[in-house]
């Protein structure tokens, strides 16, 4: 183990395909989380072939819509905010340090705004399955903004029987297929009218300096 500035270099205790050191912070210093070699393989083709994954769920909208059929976007954002601690990547950015200072890092977004990630979009008439899938295809054509955490969640209203579509997309570097499904399940409840957890205060850690 070797001390380097505020960090120690330690060798991973488990075998990996490529030798990859792990940075462990000294007490009082936030650890650096570098992308793995596999994650970086999902990152570089973005310019030609976007590497995001998505999932669609159709929800019972009885507790998501008010009596006039308007989506309760404020309540939904509050519920999601109360669970973001369970998915740290949803408040982190991809940071590429200067050359010779290592590979890309996950760092906390200095000005995270949930309204940039969770939105509602009414489906065009007649609000059937064909319109739902067409709208999702249009959303998938939008590239994820690298200046923000690489995910978004859309609630698609206008389906029959007060149902609501939920389309979630995230970069493949955040999660693969099965992990992506588990991530989305974090924000779902098996029973209606579940009481949201308390919204915890969150303070982003500073981006590492060149010396760190």
């Amino acid at each position: 183990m070797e001390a380097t500035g505020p960090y120690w270099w330690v060798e991973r205790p488990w075998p990996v395909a490529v030798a990859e050191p792990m940075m462990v912070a000294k007490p009082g210093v936030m650890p650096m989380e570098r992308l793995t070699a596999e994650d970086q393989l999902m990152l570089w083709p973005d310019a030609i072939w976007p590497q995001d994954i998505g999932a669609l769920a159709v929800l019972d909208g009885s507790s998501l819509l008010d009596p006039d059929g308007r989506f309760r976007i404020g309540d939904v954002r509050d519920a999601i905010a109360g669970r973001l601690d369970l998915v740290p990547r949803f408040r982190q950015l991809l940071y590429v340090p200067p050359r010779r200072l290592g590979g890309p890092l996950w760092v906390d977004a200095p000005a995270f705004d949930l309204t940039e990630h969770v939105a509602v979009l009414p489906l065009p008439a007649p609000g059937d399955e064909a319109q739902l899938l067409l709208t999702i295809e249009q959303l998938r054509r939008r590239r994820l903004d690298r200046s923000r955490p690489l995910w978004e969640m859309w609630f698609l209203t206008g389906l029959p029987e007060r149902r609501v579509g939920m389309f979630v997309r995230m970069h493949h570097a955040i999660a693969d297929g099965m992990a992506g499904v588990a991530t989305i399940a974090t924000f779902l409840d098996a029973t209606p009218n579940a009481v949201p957890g308390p919204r915890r205060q969150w303070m982003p850690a500073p981006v590492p300096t060149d010396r760190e």
Side-chain angles (χ1 to χ4, degrees):
M1 181 173 65
E2 177 186 358
T4 307
Y7 295 92
W8 286 294
W9 285 104
V10 296
E11 293 300 326
R12 293 186 184 274
W14 57 88
V16 293
V18 179
E20 179 188 1
M22 175 178 59
M23 298 209 76
V24 179
K26 294 181 179 179
V29 179
M30 291 297 295
M32 288 188 183
E33 296 182 84
R34 295 197 186 275
L35 272 69
T36 65
E38 182 178 0
D39 289 339
Q40 291 188 49
L41 288 176
M42 299 296 177
L43 182 62
W44 304 130
D46 262 347
I48 301 173
W49 182 20
Q51 298 294 301
D52 58 85
I53 60 175
L56 168 67
V58 177
L59 310 177
D60 177 1
S62 57
S63 61
L64 300 174
L65 303 171
D66 67 15
D68 295 326
R70 291 187 296 265
F71 188 78
R72 304 178 190 270
I73 185 63
D75 293 341
V76 168
R77 284 173 176 154
D78 287 343
I80 292 171
R83 302 185 185 186
L84 283 178
D85 287 344
L86 303 175
V87 190
R89 292 285 182 263
F90 274 22
R91 287 191 291 210
Q92 292 181 321
L93 304 171
L94 275 175
Y95 170 69
V96 180
R99 295 183 62 184
R100 299 185 300 277
L101 294 181
L105 306 168
W106 291 111
V107 299
D108 288 347
F112 177 76
D113 184 355
L114 189 60
T115 65
E116 296 176 341
H117 298 271
V118 180
V120 57
L121 180 64
L123 293 174
D128 55 10
E129 180 179 334
Q131 286 295 340
L132 175 64
L133 297 178
L134 178 60
T135 300
I136 289 173
E137 177 60 27
Q138 292 170 346
L139 291 173
R140 286 216 63 189
R141 293 177 183 175
R142 298 156 42 106
R143 290 184 178 270
L144 293 170
D145 187 346
R146 287 272 192 103
S147 68
R148 302 172 183 170
L150 297 176
W151 68 281
E152 58 186 21
M153 184 181 297
W154 290 90
F155 291 92
L156 308 169
T157 60
L159 290 170
E161 302 176 358
R162 292 175 64 87
R163 294 177 298 163
V164 176
M166 183 184 76
F167 176 60
V168 185
R169 62 193 294 237
M170 66 191 78
H171 199 281
H172 209 307
I174 292 178
D176 60 14
M178 291 304 296
V181 172
T183 298
I184 295 169
T186 302
F187 301 101
L188 299 176
D189 293 306
T191 58
N193 302 316
V195 178
R199 189 167 183 170
R200 301 177 183 177
Q201 184 68 25
W202 178 76
M203 293 294 294
V207 176
T209 65
D210 291 352
R211 293 188 62 184
E212 294 174 339

